[in-house]
Coordinates of all heavy atoms in Angstrom, one line a residue:
D8 N 0.9 -1.2 0.0 CA 0.0 -0.1 0.0 C 0.9 1.2 0.0 O 1.8 1.4 0.8 CB -0.9 -0.1 1.2 CG -1.7 1.2 1.5 OD1 -2.5 1.5 0.7 OD2 -1.4 1.9 2.6
R9 N 0.6 2.2 -0.9 CA 1.5 3.4 -1.1 C 1.5 4.2 0.2 O 2.6 4.7 0.6 CB 0.8 4.2 -2.2 CG 1.7 5.4 -2.6 CD 1.1 6.1 -3.8 NE 1.9 7.2 -4.2 CZ 1.7 8.5 -3.7 NH1 0.8 8.8 -2.9 NH2 2.6 9.5 -4.1
R10 N 0.4 4.4 0.9 CA 0.4 5.0 2.1 C 1.3 4.5 3.2 O 2.0 5.2 3.9 CB -1.0 5.1 2.6 CG -1.2 6.1 3.8 CD -2.7 6.3 4.0 NE -2.9 7.0 5.2 CZ -4.1 7.3 5.7 NH1 -5.2 7.1 4.9 NH2 -4.2 8.0 6.8
Q11 N 1.4 3.2 3.3 CA 2.3 2.6 4.3 C 3.7 2.7 4.0 O 4.5 3.0 4.9 CB 2.0 1.0 4.4 CG 0.8 0.7 5.3 CD 0.5 -0.8 5.4 OE1 0.7 -1.5 4.5 NE2 0.3 -1.2 6.6
R12 N 4.0 2.6 2.6 CA 5.4 2.9 2.2 C 5.9 4.3 2.4 O 7.0 4.5 3.0 CB 5.6 2.6 0.7 CG 5.5 1.2 0.3 CD 6.0 0.8 -1.1 NE 5.3 1.7 -2.1 CZ 4.2 1.3 -2.7 NH1 3.7 0.0 -2.4 NH2 3.7 2.0 -3.7
Q13 N 5.0 5.2 2.2 CA 5.3 6.8 2.5 C 5.5 6.8 4.0 O 6.4 7.6 4.4 CB 4.1 7.5 2.0 CG 4.4 9.1 2.1 CD 5.6 9.4 1.2 OE1 5.8 8.9 0.2 NE2 6.3 10.5 1.7
M14 N 4.7 6.2 4.8 CA 4.8 6.3 6.4 C 6.3 5.8 6.7 O 6.9 6.3 7.6 CB 3.7 5.5 6.9 CG 3.8 5.7 8.4 SD 3.2 7.2 9.0 CE 2.0 6.7 10.3
C15 N 6.7 4.7 6.1 CA 8.0 4.1 6.5 C 9.1 5.1 6.1 O 10.0 5.3 6.8 CB 8.1 2.7 5.7 SG 7.2 1.4 6.3
I16 N 8.9 5.6 4.9 CA 9.9 6.6 4.4 C 10.1 7.8 5.4 O 11.1 8.3 5.7 CB 9.6 7.2 3.0 CG1 9.8 6.0 2.0 CG2 10.4 8.3 2.6 CD1 9.1 6.2 0.6
E17 N 8.9 8.3 5.8 CA 8.8 9.4 6.7 C 9.2 9.1 8.1 O 9.3 10.1 9.0 CB 7.5 10.1 6.6 CG 7.2 10.8 5.2 CD 5.9 11.2 4.9 OE1 5.0 11.1 6.0 OE2 5.6 11.8 3.9
T18 N 9.1 7.9 8.5 CA 9.3 7.6 10.0 C 10.6 8.1 10.5 O 10.6 8.5 11.6 CB 9.2 6.0 10.1 OG1 8.0 5.5 9.6 CG2 9.4 5.6 11.5
G19 N 11.7 8.1 9.7 CA 12.9 8.6 10.1 C 12.8 10.2 10.7 O 13.3 10.4 11.7
N20 N 12.1 10.9 9.9 CA 11.9 12.3 10.3 C 10.8 12.5 11.4 O 11.0 13.2 12.3 CB 11.4 13.1 9.0 CG 12.4 13.2 7.9 OD1 13.6 13.1 8.2 ND2 11.9 13.4 6.8
L21 N 9.9 11.5 11.4 CA 8.8 11.7 12.4 C 9.4 11.3 13.7 O 8.8 12.0 14.6 CB 7.8 10.5 12.0 CG 6.5 10.5 12.9 CD1 5.6 11.6 12.5 CD2 5.7 9.1 12.5
L22 N 10.3 10.4 13.8 CA 10.8 10.0 15.1 C 12.1 10.8 15.6 O 12.7 10.4 16.5 CB 11.1 8.5 15.2 CG 9.7 7.6 14.8 CD1 10.2 6.1 14.8 CD2 8.7 8.0 15.8
G23 N 12.6 11.7 14.8 CA 13.8 12.4 15.0 C 13.8 13.1 16.4 O 14.9 13.2 17.0
W24 N 12.8 13.4 17.0 CA 12.7 14.1 18.4 C 13.2 13.2 19.4 O 13.8 13.6 20.4 CB 11.3 14.4 18.7 CG 10.3 13.3 18.8 CD1 9.6 12.7 17.9 CD2 10.0 12.8 20.1 NE1 8.9 11.7 18.3 CE2 9.1 11.6 19.8 CE3 10.4 12.9 21.5 CZ2 8.5 10.8 20.8 CZ3 9.9 12.0 22.4 CH2 8.9 11.0 22.0
I25 N 13.3 11.8 19.2 CA 13.7 10.9 20.2 C 15.2 11.0 20.5 O 15.6 11.1 21.6 CB 13.3 9.4 19.8 CG1 11.8 9.2 19.8 CG2 14.0 8.4 20.7 CD1 11.3 8.0 19.2
D26 N 16.0 11.2 19.4 CA 17.4 11.5 19.6 C 17.6 12.8 20.3 O 18.8 13.0 20.8 CB 18.0 11.6 18.2 CG 18.1 10.1 17.6 OD1 18.0 9.1 18.3 OD2 18.1 10.1 16.3
Q27 N 16.8 13.7 20.5 CA 16.9 14.9 21.2 C 16.6 14.9 22.6 O 16.7 15.9 23.4 CB 16.2 16.1 20.4 CG 16.7 16.3 19.0 CD 15.9 17.3 18.3 OE1 14.9 18.0 18.9 NE2 16.0 17.4 17.0
I28 N 16.1 13.8 23.1 CA 15.8 13.6 24.4 C 17.0 13.7 25.3 O 17.9 12.9 25.1 CB 15.0 12.3 24.7 CG1 13.7 12.3 24.0 CG2 14.8 12.2 26.2 CD1 12.9 11.1 24.1
E29 N 17.1 14.6 26.2 CA 18.4 14.8 27.0 C 18.5 13.9 28.2 O 19.6 13.5 28.6 CB 18.4 16.3 27.4 CG 18.7 17.1 26.2 CD 18.8 18.7 26.6 OE1 18.9 19.0 27.8 OE2 18.9 19.5 25.7
N30 N 17.4 13.6 28.8 CA 17.4 12.6 30.0 C 17.7 11.3 29.5 O 17.0 10.6 28.7 CB 16.0 12.7 30.7 CG 15.9 11.8 32.0 OD1 16.2 10.6 31.8 ND2 15.7 12.4 33.0
P31 N 18.9 10.7 30.0 CA 19.3 9.4 29.5 C 18.2 8.3 29.8 O 18.1 7.4 28.9 CB 20.6 9.1 30.3 CG 21.0 10.4 30.9 CD 19.8 11.3 31.0
Q32 N 17.6 8.3 31.0 CA 16.7 7.2 31.2 C 15.4 7.4 30.3 O 15.0 6.3 29.8 CB 16.2 7.4 32.7 CG 17.3 6.8 33.8 CD 16.6 7.1 35.1 OE1 16.6 8.2 35.6 NE2 16.3 5.9 35.9
L33 N 15.0 8.6 30.2 CA 13.8 8.7 29.2 C 14.2 8.3 27.7 O 13.4 7.6 27.1 CB 13.4 10.2 29.3 CG 12.1 10.5 28.6 CD1 10.9 9.6 28.9 CD2 11.7 11.9 28.7
H34 N 15.3 8.7 27.4 CA 15.8 8.4 26.1 C 15.9 6.9 25.8 O 15.4 6.3 24.9 CB 17.2 8.9 25.7 CG 17.6 8.8 24.3 ND1 18.4 7.6 24.0 CD2 17.4 9.3 23.2 CE1 18.7 7.6 22.7 NE2 18.0 8.7 22.2
K35 N 16.5 6.2 26.8 CA 16.6 4.7 26.7 C 15.2 4.1 26.7 O 14.9 3.1 25.9 CB 17.4 4.2 28.0 CG 17.7 2.7 27.9 CD 18.6 2.2 29.0 CE 18.9 0.8 28.9 NZ 19.7 0.3 30.0
A36 N 14.2 4.6 27.6 CA 12.9 4.1 27.7 C 12.1 4.2 26.4 O 11.6 3.3 25.8 CB 12.2 4.7 28.8
V37 N 12.2 5.5 25.8 CA 11.5 5.7 24.5 C 12.2 5.0 23.4 O 11.4 4.5 22.4 CB 11.4 7.2 24.3 CG1 10.8 7.5 22.9 CG2 10.5 8.0 25.3
S38 N 13.4 4.9 23.3 CA 14.1 4.1 22.3 C 13.8 2.7 22.3 O 13.8 2.1 21.2 CB 15.6 4.4 22.4 OG 16.0 5.7 22.2
S39 N 13.4 2.2 23.4 CA 13.2 0.7 23.5 C 11.8 0.3 23.0 O 11.5 -0.8 22.8 CB 13.3 0.3 25.0 OG 12.2 0.7 25.8
L40 N 11.0 1.3 22.7 CA 9.6 1.0 22.3 C 9.6 0.6 20.9 O 10.5 0.8 20.1 CB 8.7 2.3 22.4 CG 8.5 2.9 23.9 CD1 7.8 4.2 23.7 CD2 7.7 1.9 24.7
S41 N 8.5 -0.2 20.5 CA 8.4 -0.6 19.1 C 8.1 0.6 18.2 O 7.8 1.7 18.7 CB 7.3 -1.6 19.0 OG 6.0 -0.9 19.1
T42 N 8.4 0.5 16.9 CA 8.1 1.7 16.1 C 6.7 2.1 16.1 O 6.5 3.3 16.1 CB 8.6 1.3 14.6 OG1 9.9 0.9 14.5 CG2 8.4 2.4 13.6
E43 N 5.8 1.2 16.2 CA 4.3 1.5 16.2 C 4.1 2.3 17.4 O 3.4 3.3 17.3 CB 3.6 0.2 16.2 CG 2.1 0.5 16.0 CD 1.1 -0.8 15.9 OE1 1.8 -1.7 15.4 OE2 0.0 -0.7 16.3
K44 N 4.6 1.9 18.6 CA 4.4 2.6 19.8 C 5.1 4.0 19.8 O 4.5 5.0 20.3 CB 4.9 1.9 21.0 CG 4.1 0.6 21.2 CD 4.7 -0.2 22.5 CE 3.8 -1.4 22.8 NZ 4.3 -2.2 23.8
K45 N 6.2 4.2 19.2 CA 6.9 5.4 19.0 C 6.1 6.4 18.2 O 6.0 7.6 18.5 CB 8.3 5.2 18.4 CG 9.3 4.6 19.2 CD 10.6 4.4 18.5 CE 11.5 3.6 19.3 NZ 12.8 3.2 18.4
I46 N 5.5 5.8 17.1 CA 4.6 6.7 16.2 C 3.4 7.1 17.0 O 3.1 8.3 17.0 CB 4.2 5.9 15.0 CG1 5.5 5.7 14.0 CG2 3.2 6.5 14.2 CD1 5.3 4.7 12.9
L47 N 2.8 6.2 17.8 CA 1.6 6.6 18.5 C 1.9 7.7 19.5 O 1.3 8.8 19.5 CB 1.0 5.4 19.3 CG -0.3 5.7 20.0 CD1 -1.1 4.4 20.0 CD2 -0.1 6.1 21.4
L48 N 3.1 7.5 20.2 CA 3.6 8.5 21.1 C 3.9 9.9 20.4 O 3.5 11.0 20.9 CB 4.8 8.0 21.8 CG 5.3 8.5 23.2 CD1 4.2 8.3 24.2 CD2 6.6 7.9 23.5
T49 N 4.5 9.8 19.3 CA 4.8 11.0 18.5 C 3.5 11.7 18.1 O 3.4 13.0 18.2 CB 5.6 10.7 17.3 OG1 6.8 9.9 17.7 CG2 5.9 11.8 16.5
L50 N 2.5 11.1 17.6 CA 1.3 11.7 17.2 C 0.5 12.3 18.3 O 0.1 13.5 18.2 CB 0.4 10.7 16.4 CG 0.9 10.1 15.1 CD1 0.0 9.0 14.6 CD2 1.0 11.2 14.0
R51 N 0.5 11.6 19.4 CA -0.1 12.2 20.6 C 0.6 13.4 21.2 O -0.2 14.3 21.5 CB -0.4 11.0 21.7 CG -1.4 10.0 21.3 CD -2.8 10.5 21.4 NE -3.2 10.7 22.9 CZ -3.8 11.7 23.4 NH1 -4.3 12.6 22.6 NH2 -4.2 11.8 24.7
Y52 N 1.8 13.3 21.4 CA 2.4 14.3 22.2 C 3.3 15.3 21.5 O 3.4 16.4 21.9 CB 3.4 13.6 23.3 CG 2.4 12.9 24.3 CD1 2.3 11.5 24.2 CD2 1.6 13.5 25.2 CE1 1.5 10.7 25.1 CE2 0.8 12.8 26.1 CZ 0.7 11.4 25.9 OH -0.1 10.7 26.8
Q53 N 3.9 14.9 20.3 CA 4.6 15.8 19.6 C 3.7 16.6 18.7 O 3.9 17.8 18.4 CB 5.7 15.1 18.6 CG 6.9 14.7 19.4 CD 7.7 15.9 19.8 OE1 7.9 16.1 21.0 NE2 8.3 16.6 18.9
Y54 N 2.7 15.9 18.0 CA 1.7 16.5 17.1 C 0.4 16.9 17.8 O -0.4 17.4 17.1 CB 1.6 15.7 15.9 CG 2.8 15.6 14.9 CD1 3.8 14.7 15.1 CD2 3.0 16.6 14.0 CE1 4.9 14.5 14.4 CE2 4.1 16.6 13.2 CZ 5.0 15.5 13.4 OH 6.2 15.5 12.7
Q55 N 0.3 16.6 19.1 CA -0.9 16.9 19.9 C -2.2 16.4 19.2 O -3.1 17.1 19.2 CB -0.9 18.4 20.2 CG 0.3 18.9 21.0 CD 0.4 20.2 21.3 OE1 -0.2 21.1 20.7 NE2 1.3 20.6 22.2
K56 N -2.2 15.3 18.6 CA -3.4 14.7 18.0 C -4.3 14.1 19.2 O -3.7 13.6 20.2 CB -3.0 13.6 17.0 CG -2.2 14.1 15.8 CD -3.1 15.0 14.9 CE -2.2 15.4 13.7 NZ -2.9 16.4 12.9
T57 N -5.5 14.2 18.9 CA -6.5 13.5 19.9 C -6.4 11.9 19.6 O -5.8 11.5 18.6 CB -7.9 13.9 19.7 OG1 -8.2 13.5 18.4 CG2 -8.1 15.4 19.8
Q58 N -6.9 11.2 20.6 CA -6.9 9.7 20.5 C -7.7 9.4 19.2 O -7.4 8.4 18.5 CB -7.5 9.0 21.7 CG -6.5 9.1 22.9 CD -7.0 8.4 24.1 OE1 -8.2 8.0 24.1 NE2 -6.2 8.2 25.1
Q59 N -8.8 10.1 19.0 CA -9.6 9.8 17.8 C -8.9 10.1 16.5 O -8.9 9.4 15.6 CB -10.9 10.7 17.8 CG -11.9 10.3 16.9 CD -12.6 8.9 17.1 OE1 -12.8 8.6 18.3 NE2 -12.8 8.2 16.1
E60 N -8.1 11.2 16.5 CA -7.2 11.5 15.2 C -6.3 10.4 15.1 O -6.0 10.0 13.9 CB -6.6 12.8 15.4 CG -7.6 14.0 15.4 CD -7.0 15.3 15.6 OE1 -6.2 15.4 16.6 OE2 -7.4 16.5 15.1
V61 N -5.6 9.9 16.1 CA -4.6 8.9 16.0 C -5.2 7.6 15.5 O -4.6 6.9 14.7 CB -3.8 8.7 17.4 CG1 -2.9 7.5 17.3 CG2 -3.1 9.9 17.7
S62 N -6.4 7.3 16.1 CA -7.0 6.1 15.7 C -7.3 6.1 14.1 O -7.2 5.1 13.4 CB -8.4 5.8 16.5 OG -9.4 6.7 16.0
K63 N -7.7 7.2 13.5 CA -8.0 7.3 12.1 C -6.6 7.2 11.4 O -6.6 6.5 10.3 CB -8.7 8.6 11.8 CG -10.1 8.7 12.2 CD -10.8 9.9 11.9 CE -12.1 10.0 12.4 NZ -12.9 11.2 12.3
I64 N -5.6 7.9 11.7 CA -4.2 7.9 11.1 C -3.7 6.4 11.1 O -3.2 5.9 10.1 CB -3.3 8.9 11.8 CG1 -3.8 10.3 11.5 CG2 -1.9 8.6 11.3 CD1 -3.1 11.3 12.4
M65 N -3.9 5.7 12.2 CA -3.2 4.5 12.4 C -4.2 3.3 12.0 O -3.7 2.1 12.1 CB -2.6 4.3 13.8 CG -1.6 5.3 14.1 SD -0.8 5.1 15.7 CE 0.3 3.5 15.3
H66 N -5.4 3.6 11.7 CA -6.4 2.6 11.3 C -6.5 1.6 12.5 O -6.6 0.4 12.2 CB -5.9 1.9 10.0 CG -5.7 2.8 8.9 ND1 -6.7 3.5 8.3 CD2 -4.6 3.2 8.2 CE1 -6.3 4.3 7.3 NE2 -4.9 4.1 7.3
I67 N -6.8 2.0 13.6 CA -7.1 1.2 14.8 C -8.2 2.0 15.6 O -8.4 3.2 15.3 CB -5.9 1.0 15.7 CG1 -5.3 2.3 16.3 CG2 -4.8 0.2 14.9 CD1 -4.1 2.1 17.2
G68 N -8.9 1.3 16.5 CA -9.9 1.9 17.2 C -9.4 2.9 18.2 O -8.3 2.8 18.7
Q69 N -10.3 3.8 18.7 CA -9.9 4.7 19.6 C -9.6 4.1 21.0 O -8.6 4.5 21.7 CB -11.0 5.8 19.8 CG -10.7 7.0 20.8 CD -11.1 6.6 22.2 OE1 -12.2 6.0 22.4 NE2 -10.3 7.0 23.2
Q70 N -10.3 3.1 21.3 CA -10.1 2.4 22.5 C -8.6 1.6 22.5 O -8.0 1.5 23.5 CB -11.1 1.3 22.9 CG -12.3 1.9 23.2 CD -13.5 0.8 23.6 OE1 -13.6 0.0 22.7 NE2 -14.3 1.0 24.7
A71 N -8.2 1.2 21.3 CA -6.9 0.6 21.1 C -5.9 1.6 21.4 O -4.8 1.2 22.0 CB -6.8 -0.1 19.7
V72 N -6.2 2.8 20.9 CA -5.1 3.9 21.2 C -5.0 4.2 22.6 O -3.9 4.2 23.1 CB -5.6 5.2 20.4 CG1 -4.7 6.4 20.8 CG2 -5.6 5.0 18.9
S73 N -6.1 4.2 23.3 CA -6.1 4.5 24.7 C -5.4 3.4 25.5 O -4.5 3.6 26.3 CB -7.6 4.6 25.3 OG -7.6 4.8 26.6
K74 N -5.6 2.2 25.2 CA -5.0 1.0 25.8 C -3.6 1.1 25.6 O -2.6 0.8 26.4 CB -5.7 -0.2 25.4 CG -5.2 -1.4 26.1 CD -6.0 -2.7 25.6 CE -5.4 -3.9 26.4 NZ -6.1 -5.2 26.1
S75 N -3.2 1.3 24.3 CA -1.7 1.3 23.9 C -1.0 2.4 24.7 O 0.1 2.3 25.1 CB -1.5 1.5 22.3 OG -2.0 0.4 21.7
E76 N -1.6 3.6 24.8 CA -1.1 4.7 25.4 C -0.8 4.4 26.8 O 0.3 4.7 27.4 CB -2.0 6.0 25.3 CG -1.4 7.3 25.6 CD -2.3 8.4 25.4 OE1 -3.2 8.3 24.3 OE2 -2.1 9.4 26.0
R77 N -1.8 3.9 27.5 CA -1.6 3.4 28.9 C -0.4 2.5 29.1 O 0.4 2.5 30.0 CB -2.8 2.8 29.5 CG -3.9 3.7 29.9 CD -4.9 3.2 30.8 NE -5.6 1.9 30.3 CZ -6.6 2.0 29.4 NH1 -7.2 3.1 29.0 NH2 -7.0 0.8 29.0
G78 N -0.3 1.5 28.1 CA 0.8 0.4 28.2 C 2.1 1.1 28.0 O 3.1 0.8 28.6
I79 N 2.2 2.1 27.0 CA 3.4 2.8 26.7 C 4.0 3.6 27.9 O 5.1 3.4 28.3 CB 3.2 3.7 25.5 CG1 3.0 3.0 24.2 CG2 4.4 4.7 25.4 CD1 2.6 3.9 23.1
L80 N 3.0 4.2 28.6 CA 3.5 5.0 29.8 C 3.9 4.1 30.8 O 4.9 4.4 31.6 CB 2.3 5.9 30.2 CG 1.9 7.0 29.2 CD1 0.7 7.8 29.7 CD2 3.0 7.9 28.9
K81 N 3.3 2.9 31.0 CA 3.7 1.9 32.0 C 5.1 1.5 31.7 O 5.9 1.4 32.6 CB 2.7 0.8 32.1 CG 1.5 0.9 33.0 CD 0.7 -0.4 33.1 CE -0.4 -0.2 33.9 NZ -1.3 -1.4 34.0
E82 N 5.4 1.1 30.4 CA 6.7 0.7 30.0 C 7.7 1.8 30.3 O 8.8 1.4 30.8 CB 6.7 0.4 28.5 CG 6.2 -1.0 28.0 CD 6.3 -1.1 26.6 OE1 7.5 -1.1 26.1 OE2 5.3 -1.3 25.9
I83 N 7.5 3.1 30.0 CA 8.4 4.1 30.2 C 8.6 4.3 31.8 O 9.8 4.4 32.2 CB 7.8 5.4 29.7 CG1 8.0 5.3 28.1 CG2 8.7 6.6 30.1 CD1 7.3 6.5 27.4
K84 N 7.7 4.2 32.5 CA 7.7 4.3 34.0 C 8.7 3.2 34.6 O 9.3 3.5 35.6 CB 6.4 4.2 34.7 CG 5.6 5.5 34.5 CD 4.2 5.4 35.2 CE 3.3 6.7 34.9 NZ 2.0 6.5 35.5
K85 N 8.8 2.1 34.0 CA 9.6 1.0 34.4 C 11.1 1.4 34.5 O 11.8 0.9 35.3 CB 9.4 -0.3 33.6 CG 8.2 -1.0 33.8 CD 8.2 -2.3 33.0 CE 6.9 -2.9 33.0 NZ 6.7 -4.0 32.0
F86 N 11.5 2.3 33.6 CA 12.8 2.8 33.5 C 13.2 3.7 34.6 O 14.4 4.0 34.8 CB 13.1 3.4 32.1 CG 13.3 2.4 31.0 CD1 12.3 1.8 30.5 CD2 14.6 2.1 30.6 CE1 12.4 0.9 29.4 CE2 14.7 1.1 29.6 CZ 13.6 0.6 29.0
F87 N 12.2 4.2 35.4 CA 12.5 5.2 36.5 C 12.3 4.5 37.8 O 12.3 5.2 38.8 CB 11.5 6.3 36.3 CG 11.9 7.1 35.1 CD1 11.3 6.8 33.8 CD2 12.8 8.1 35.2 CE1 11.7 7.6 32.7 CE2 13.3 8.9 34.0 CZ 12.6 8.6 32.8
K88 N 12.2 3.2 37.9 CA 12.1 2.5 39.3 C 13.4 2.0 39.7 O 14.2 1.6 39.0 CB 11.0 1.5 39.1 CG 9.6 2.0 39.1 CD 8.6 0.9 39.1 CE 7.1 1.6 39.0 NZ 6.1 0.6 39.1

């Protein structure tokens, strides 16, 4: 699918903010996430998209976005314990 290929091409630019994280623990935590989780995080917090907007972009339900987001935040918190 052309749209997926384009997303893959742009992923490098999309996720560039991760390399700019100055806190070593946070950088390690975010870097350890899957690409899909990094994209979700990027859309929600870098681009300030709503869960509904993210669900449309990623072709998943809004509840799936909410559940993934909670899981991502739990994963990140583990690096700070």
Side-chain angles (χ1 to χ4, degrees):
D8 169 67
R9 185 174 183 269
R10 191 171 167 172
Q11 279 184 316
R12 284 195 306 271
Q13 188 65 28
M14 181 76 128
C15 289
I16 292 167
E17 293 174 357
T18 300
N20 293 338
L21 185 71
L22 302 178
W24 67 274
I25 295 171
D26 290 330
Q27 296 175 10
I28 297 173
E29 293 181 10
N30 180 298
Q32 283 176 290
L33 183 57
H34 183 268
K35 187 174 180 180
V37 174
S38 295
S39 74
L40 297 171
S41 70
T42 301
E43 186 174 335
K44 289 178 180 179
K45 289 176 189 171
I46 291 170
L47 189 147
L48 201 62
T49 301
L50 292 171
R51 284 287 287 142
Y52 297 102
Q53 282 294 111
Y54 290 90
Q55 300 176 345
K56 299 289 183 189
T57 64
Q58 288 183 350
Q59 192 65 42
E60 290 170 325
V61 172
S62 75
K63 288 178 182 173
I64 292 167
M65 296 185 76
H66 305 288
I67 58 176
Q69 183 271 323
Q70 288 179 317
V72 173
S73 178
K74 187 175 179 180
S75 292
E76 194 174 328
R77 282 194 309 271
I79 290 167
L80 296 176
K81 277 185 182 179
E82 279 185 57
I83 290 173
K84 285 178 184 178
K85 286 180 189 175
F86 282 80
F87 291 89
K88 289 187 176 182

